[in-house]
Amino acid sequence: MRLIVHNMLTCNIKGVVNKFPLRIEAEKVIKKDVDFNPDFLRHMLAKIEWKALVDGARSMGYTELPDHAPALESDEPFLKKFHHALLELNLEEGSLVCQETGRKFPVEKGVPNMLLHEDEV
Amino acid sequence: MRDVKVKANSKSTEEEEENEMSSSLSVKSTPEIEKKYVHRVYDAIAPHFSSTRFAKWPKVAAFLESLPSGSVVLDAGCGNGKYLGLNPSCFFIGCDISNPLIKICSDKGQEVLVADAVNLPYREEFGDAAISIAVLHHLSTENRRKSAIEELVRVVKPGGFVLITVWAAEQEDKSLLTKWTPLSPKYVEEWVGPGSPMNSPRVRNNPFFGLESIPETDVSAKEQKAETSPSFGLESIPETEESTREPKAESVPETQDSLGEQNDKSSVEVLLEALKMNQQEYFVPWHLPYHRAEVSGASASALASGLAKKDDRKGTVVYNRYYHVFSEGELERLASGVGNAMIVDRFYDKSNWCIVLQKEALNQD
């Protein structure tokens, strides 16, 4: 699972208000190179919840992201860091934790399982 | 066919649900029929199913290729990931309820997760577009089908597009219907409820259901071919076995299908009965060859529990998949009930009803 997906994921347990973001408990992180595409990154900047990305990256061991996205989006050094955090860090094993309930959604072999139990729906 | 015992959770409103004897189930709960005849089946047949799912449906490909470069595309019910990455300029995120199918996707390096299309664990408006290809017909109540559409609209940005395709009740290949098991009427009533959209004379008078003789293809030849040769058939054409569609072979029509021991009627009689009931609820068989079943491992318990049966003549374990096929206009009616989306395209293609929705754009000042 990469942070581009994590930035979208929510806890859908019935009644939960604080469903996003999920806290990452990383057990195994792998880095995989991805081609740098500044246009795509700029497109993503509008969607990304920045703090969730920064916290998620930190949980995966990457601390280079600034606390705020700079005003000059076209700044290439920034985009390179953004690119690395968003697309090149892979959570292979770990959990995504609901901040309100503590419920852990497992991530195994890079795949999160977000299915709820019967009593959570 | 054995009667299917189903917890009655198909009623439309929450009040009705609370009045039921069984524990009240929300629309997001998975009904038993889907657990047994959708989830467990796909889990058991996943690799075999995936091996038959490679042809890209041109209409879906066209939709995906029309999207702006860099679009985030959400595929809810992505199956074996056939469409993920189809447009290389877009970023695809797929989800499916079947872990084995998702594993096939992730082995290909696709970005996927295990999730429920009726309850997407996504925050709103993240996607630029969403697709739901041959998914909604596996949902057994109208409310669940509507919820799934609402979810697709919710997760795309304002102005974003959603493509939905479902199997049509009006099949181009009439002979397929003779291989399907219509589900018995009392369960149809429970699931569908009064005021269903199927009470239209259109179905009864539909030329697709004419009474001319129905040629059938030779089943075992089709199966063999599917295993060894690439097929030009498309997944959009519903198959009764693992094979994809081929030109019809001339052969003596069979009056009994593989589930024939349960159904002594001729195929035409079955069809007529289905017509009478405006039948839209079916079990559609999937033939899993024995050698594939051994690999899967799930089949031993499926056979033991009666979920699947052996067909020694074909050398397959036969699973039933639950389908609610859609009648003409039904998908539109369902989608038009979603407040903040407009239907921008609708078409029938290869025995599927298809629709493109656009989510309301934000008001511009």
Side-chain angles (χ1 to χ4, degrees):
Chain A
M1 181 209 73
R2 292 183 282 173
L3 288 173
I4 185 173
V5 177
H6 167 259
N7 208 266
M8 181 178 67
L9 294 180
T10 60
C11 171
N12 273 7
I13 294 176
K14 191 172 175 184
V16 166
V17 173
N18 184 15
K19 47 172 70 177
F20 173 85
L22 302 170
R23 187 169 49 81
I24 295 178
E25 284 180 359
E27 285 157 37
K28 181 176 170 197
V29 176
I30 291 178
K31 288 168 200 171
K32 291 187 209 169
D33 284 349
V34 172
D35 288 346
F36 180 70
N37 181 338
D39 290 333
F40 177 67
L41 293 168
R42 289 189 192 99
H43 175 66
M44 289 308 302
L45 263 178
K47 297 178 187 288
I48 291 296
E49 211 285 333
W50 191 255
K51 183 169 190 305
L53 181 69
V54 174
D55 291 344
R58 284 208 180 109
S59 317
M60 306 240 277
Y62 183 67
T63 55
E64 302 298 304
L65 285 177
D67 285 343
H68 302 281
L72 284 173
E73 304 171 356
S74 54
D75 174 64
E76 181 153 310
F78 161 75
L79 283 179
K80 289 262 161 117
K81 291 181 194 168
F82 179 42
H83 168 79
H84 184 69
L86 190 71
L87 297 170
E88 295 190 320
L89 301 174
N90 293 265
L91 183 67
E92 289 292 304
E93 306 289 330
S95 305
L96 305 175
V97 187
C98 172
Q99 312 256 35
E100 187 172 310
T101 64
R103 162 76 146 95
K104 296 193 186 194
F105 297 95
V107 179
E108 285 162 14
K109 300 196 171 97
V111 177
N113 188 327
M114 305 301 297
L115 291 180
L116 299 179
H117 307 137
E118 302 247 341
D119 57 350
E120 294 172 321
V121 172
Chain B
M1 189 196 79
R2 289 189 200 93
D3 278 353
V4 176
K5 298 282 182 269
V6 170
K7 284 200 183 107
N9 80 323
S10 61
K11 301 301 181 183
S12 318
T13 68
E14 275 173 19
E15 295 152 47
E16 285 169 317
E17 281 168 357
E18 276 161 30
N19 289 339
E20 284 165 4
M21 303 242 319
S22 53
S23 60
S24 70
L25 297 169
S26 88
V27 68
K28 312 277 186 186
S29 281
T30 305
E32 278 305 301
I33 193 167
E34 292 175 33
K35 286 183 190 166
K36 283 174 70 170
Y37 296 101
V38 180
H39 303 171
R40 280 181 66 182
V41 176
Y42 279 109
D43 284 352
I45 69 176
H48 183 231
F49 174 81
S50 176
S51 71
T52 68
R53 291 298 183 266
F54 45 83
K56 311 291 199 294
W57 189 356
K59 297 283 192 185
V60 178
F63 174 84
L64 292 172
E65 279 152 12
S66 75
L67 298 173
S69 174
S71 292
V72 174
V73 184
L74 304 174
D75 184 346
C78 63
N80 72 334
K82 183 164 79 171
Y83 295 109
L84 302 178
L86 186 144
N87 181 340
S89 80
C90 295
F91 190 91
F92 287 77
I93 300 171
C95 74
D96 200 278
I97 207 161
S98 168
N99 220 317
L101 282 173
I102 285 295
K103 179 176 190 321
I104 289 169
C105 300
S106 81
D107 285 348
K108 290 191 270 178
Q110 294 166 337
E111 194 72 47
V112 290
L113 54 138
V114 180
D116 188 340
V118 176
N119 196 4
L120 290 172
Y122 300 165
R123 59 184 173 96
E124 20 270 37
E125 302 183 0
F126 194 88
D128 293 293
I131 61 174
S132 167
I133 309 303
V135 178
L136 301 196
H137 49 222
H138 285 313
L139 298 175
S140 58
T141 74
E142 177 151 308
N143 272 352
R144 283 172 62 73
R145 297 188 283 267
K146 184 167 182 212
S147 280
I149 298 178
E150 286 167 343
E151 285 292 88
L152 291 162
V153 172
R154 181 180 68 80
V155 300
V156 299
K157 69 179 183 197
F161 293 102
V162 176
L163 168 67
I164 302 172
T165 77
V166 293
W167 282 19
E170 303 84 348
Q171 288 293 310
E172 282 173 348
D173 180 358
K174 294 162 280 216
S175 70
L176 284 175
L177 281 157
T178 66
K179 296 186 156 77
W180 298 357
T181 306
L183 298 182
S184 68
K186 75 170 160 149
Y187 292 107
V188 173
E189 240 170 55
E190 264 178 37
W191 291 322
V192 172
S196 87
M198 292 137 11
N199 294 322
S200 83
R202 196 190 294 270
V203 172
R204 293 198 187 89
N205 298 328
N206 193 307
F208 287 127
F209 295 113
L211 296 182
E212 62 268 29
S213 69
I214 299 161
E216 289 192 9
T217 56
D218 182 272
V219 165
S220 45
K222 267 166 76 176
E223 283 170 309
Q224 282 172 344
K225 270 204 159 185
E227 295 287 318
T228 57
S229 68
S231 165
F232 62 82
L234 300 174
E235 188 226 270
S236 58
I237 301 163
E239 295 98 12
T240 55
E241 296 84 21
E242 73 281 6
S243 58
T244 48
R245 193 176 197 176
E246 296 182 353
K248 288 193 181 123
E250 292 309 310
S251 64
V252 176
E254 296 181 356
T255 53
Q256 285 192 328
D257 59 7
S258 61
L259 301 170
E261 61 271 22
Q262 298 165 345
N263 183 354
D264 293 334
K265 305 186 180 96
S266 76
S267 48
V268 172
E269 279 181 59
V270 169
L271 204 51
L272 282 175
E273 281 191 16
L275 265 185
K276 264 184 250 165
M277 293 185 292
N278 293 331
Q279 184 70 23
Q280 286 176 239
E281 313 296 310
Y282 288 99
F283 279 166
V284 177
W286 183 273
H287 288 261
L288 184 67
Y290 284 157
H291 63 276
R292 293 276 197 167
E294 300 313 317
V295 170
S296 154
S299 294
S301 68
L303 287 166
S305 66
L307 188 72
K309 290 167 37 242
K310 276 181 152 188
D311 184 333
D312 286 325
R313 186 167 65 90
K314 292 175 189 161
T316 61
V317 177
V318 186
Y319 286 89
N320 276 317
R321 289 173 298 166
Y322 165 78
Y323 279 82
H324 166 92
V325 293
F326 281 63
S327 59
E328 181 174 6
E330 183 182 347
L331 184 57
E332 287 169 69
R333 185 184 53 82
L334 219 54
S336 54
V338 176
N340 57 343
M342 250 178 20
I343 298 170
V344 296
D345 197 6
R346 49 174 80 71
F347 53 94
Y348 175 92
D349 189 62
K350 308 251 178 2
S351 302
N352 282 253
W353 289 115
C354 312
I355 205 171
V356 178
L357 304 176
Q358 186 173 25
K359 182 166 181 172
E360 229 165 47
L362 295 170
N363 288 329
Q364 308 281 328
D365 281 335

